[in-house]
Structures are given as structure tokens and as C-alpha cells.
């Protein structure tokens, strides 16, 4: 079974993907980390984020098991990841890794922006998780404050809107709800309610 989960930043898709993977005993890949890992390596070497040749080289040597979520979750890495994510040939390289991961038994949950449309178009179940920009900015601000980081709601909201625009307006594999994806709007939901709603969708899809 392959479950594809897409949606914008701070929609709750990462937490849902992890819990769904645990529930169904599937492997989980946060594909955002692959873009973040390439961006972080370019930043660390002081190289421009548009250097596609080097970015591809980094992607070819990427070890999915060694991606450090704690380091890669930094705000500036997310911003840089969104910039490298517009590079078409780099995406091809990363999509190859992601497809390999998905196709390894017993199946997997992948979350990202183009899982249902490009990486796993034949997934057993597709979810598109969304929430209003304000709800997402509130969650992201609270998460940053709880980690002892400085965060101001209005600038977090501006950043999210800018990232949404870049991720959904790029020409290659833009963030988009697949035609056969189930939409889950978590604006008015806490994570427990959203998880139950996601499981209900998966169970119904499995029976049909
Ligand atoms: O989900 P995230 O915030 O970790 O993703 C960081 C960036 O990576 C995001 O702004 C766009 C890009 N990305 C992508 O283009 N395709 C994916 N499948 C996952 C992430």
C-alpha cells in the first residue's frame, strides 16, 4: 500500500503522515527533507541555490537514512529548499530516489507537494491536507516559540504565503491537488480530529 499526502507548509501533513505510517506499519518519507538536504549542502558550501549541476551531484550522493530532521527543519533551510525545488533536473533526480523508496515493500507513506501528481500517481490513497494561511501561521508560530525560537505571527504568515506562491506557481511539478485526491481541510481541527478524519478516508478508500 502506498499513501500519498500533499499539502502546503504547516498544514499538519507531516504529523499526519508519521501517524498514518505507524498505524498501518508502513515506512515513511518526508520528501521535503530531500529538498532541504540539497539546499542545506549548497548553503554550507556557500554555493548559489541555482547551481543545478552541483545540486544534482549532491542529490546523487544523498543517503535518505542520514537526513537529520533537527538540522534540516531550520526556517532558512525551508526557504532555500523552496528555491532549489524549482530546478527541473534536480527534481528528476530526487523523484527517482522517492519512487524507489515508495516501491520497496511493504509500502510507504510519502508526504510532500507532488506525491499524488508526480511521484506516486498510482498511490492506493491520496490525501491533500490544507488549512487557512492564518491557521497554519498560528501553528508554525506556536511550534517555533515552543522550541525557544523567536517568531512573530505576521512575518511567519508572510513567509508562508510567499512559500505557497513559489511552490504552487513554479512550472515544474507545482503543488497541486491530484484529481483523485481526497481534500482534508484541518483549519478547524486539532491534530487528533484530523488524524481520525484521515483514517476514515483511508479506510473508505481501501474498501472501495
Ligand atoms: O515540506 P517542507 O516544508 O519540508 O518542504 C520544503 C520545500 O521543498 C517546499 O517549500 C517545496 C519543496 N518540496 C517540493 O517541491 N516537493 C516536495 N515533494 C516536497 C517539498
Amino acid at each position: 500500500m502506498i499513501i500519498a499526502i500533499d499539502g502546503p507548509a504547516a498544514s499538519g501533513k507531516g504529523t499526519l503522515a508519521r501517524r498514518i505510517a505507524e498505524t498501518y506499519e508502513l515506512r515513511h518519507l518526508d520528501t521535503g527533507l530531500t529538498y532541504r538536504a540539497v539546499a542545506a549542502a549548497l548553503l554550507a558550501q556557500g554555493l548559489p541555490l541555482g547551481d543545478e549541476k552541483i545540486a544534482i551531484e549532491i542529490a546523487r550522493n544523498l543517503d535518505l537514512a542520514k537526513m537529520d530532521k533537527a538540522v534540516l527543519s531550520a526556517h532558512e533551510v525551508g526557504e532555500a529548499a523552496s528555491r532549489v525545488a524549482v530546478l527541473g533536473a534536480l527534481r528528476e533526480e530526487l523523484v527517482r530516489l522517492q519512487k524507489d523508496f515508495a516501491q520497496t515493500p511493504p509500502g510507504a507513506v510519502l508526504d510532500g507537494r507532488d506525491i499524488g501528481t508526480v511521484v506516486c500517481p498510482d498511490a492506493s490513497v491520496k490525501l491533500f491536507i490544507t488549512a487557512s494561511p492564518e491557521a497554519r501561521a498560528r501553528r508554525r508560530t506556536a511550534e517555533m516559540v515552543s522550541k525557544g525560537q523567536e517568531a512573530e505571527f505576521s512575518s511567519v504568515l508572510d513567509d508562508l504565503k510567499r512559500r505557497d506562491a513559489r511552490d504552487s506557481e513554479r512550472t515544474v511539478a507545482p503543488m497541486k491537488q491530484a484529481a483523485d485526491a481526497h481534500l482534508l481541510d484541518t483549519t478547524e481541527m486539532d491534530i487528533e480530529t484530523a488524524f481520525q478524519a484521515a483514517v476514515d478516508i483511508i479506510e473508505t478508500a481501501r474498501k472501495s
Side-chain angles (χ1 to χ4, degrees):
M1 177 159 73
I2 295 177
I3 301 179
I5 303 185
D6 290 300
S11 58
K13 67 181 189 309
T15 309
L16 289 176
R18 233 179 354 264
R19 289 195 53 182
I20 289 166
E22 277 168 23
T23 305
Y24 290 96
E25 297 184 346
L26 297 169
R27 293 144 60 253
H28 169 226
L29 178 63
D30 169 356
T31 61
L33 288 181
T34 63
Y35 293 90
R36 285 172 181 263
V38 172
L42 288 168
L43 289 175
Q45 294 172 58
L47 292 166
L49 295 169
D51 192 333
E52 192 164 31
K53 208 162 153 254
I54 308 250
I56 290 170
E57 211 43 53
I58 295 167
R60 284 200 179 125
N61 291 303
L62 196 62
D63 183 345
L64 296 185
K66 289 202 179 133
M67 296 187 299
D68 186 343
K69 190 171 166 61
V71 174
L72 298 178
S73 65
H75 179 70
E76 60 277 15
V77 178
E79 191 62 27
S82 172
R83 290 173 188 277
V84 301
V86 304
L87 305 172
L90 169 67
R91 295 195 72 90
E92 273 177 33
E93 203 58 45
L94 291 178
V95 166
R96 208 186 337 266
L97 282 177
Q98 295 161 8
K99 280 183 189 245
D100 283 350
F101 183 94
Q103 261 128 42
T104 307
V109 179
L110 281 82
D111 71 275
R113 304 289 189 290
D114 61 340
I115 309 302
T117 50
V118 175
V119 182
C120 303
D122 300 325
S124 335
V125 188
K126 299 180 185 177
L127 295 171
F128 192 86
I129 315 290
T130 188
S132 70
E134 289 73 17
R136 292 186 284 125
R138 255 193 315 276
R139 289 174 196 162
R140 183 49 59 84
T141 307
E143 182 191 328
M144 291 170 79
V145 168
S146 77
K147 286 184 187 159
Q149 297 164 2
E150 270 186 41
E152 200 202 322
F153 174 80
S154 59
S155 69
V156 171
L157 178 62
D158 286 348
D159 280 357
L160 279 179
K161 285 183 174 167
R162 215 176 25 246
R163 193 121 79 84
D164 284 355
R166 198 184 297 124
D167 293 344
S168 51
E169 286 163 16
R170 65 174 177 238
T171 43
V172 203
M175 170 172 72
K176 197 167 91 192
Q177 182 182 346
D180 53 350
H182 301 267
L183 179 67
L184 181 58
D185 186 333
T186 67
T187 304
E188 305 289 338
M189 295 180 185
D190 60 19
I191 192 65
E192 203 48 50
T193 312
F195 173 67
Q196 282 311 324
V199 168
D200 286 349
I201 293 171
I202 294 167
E203 287 304 307
T204 307
R206 265 157 49 108
K207 283 183 204 129
S208 64

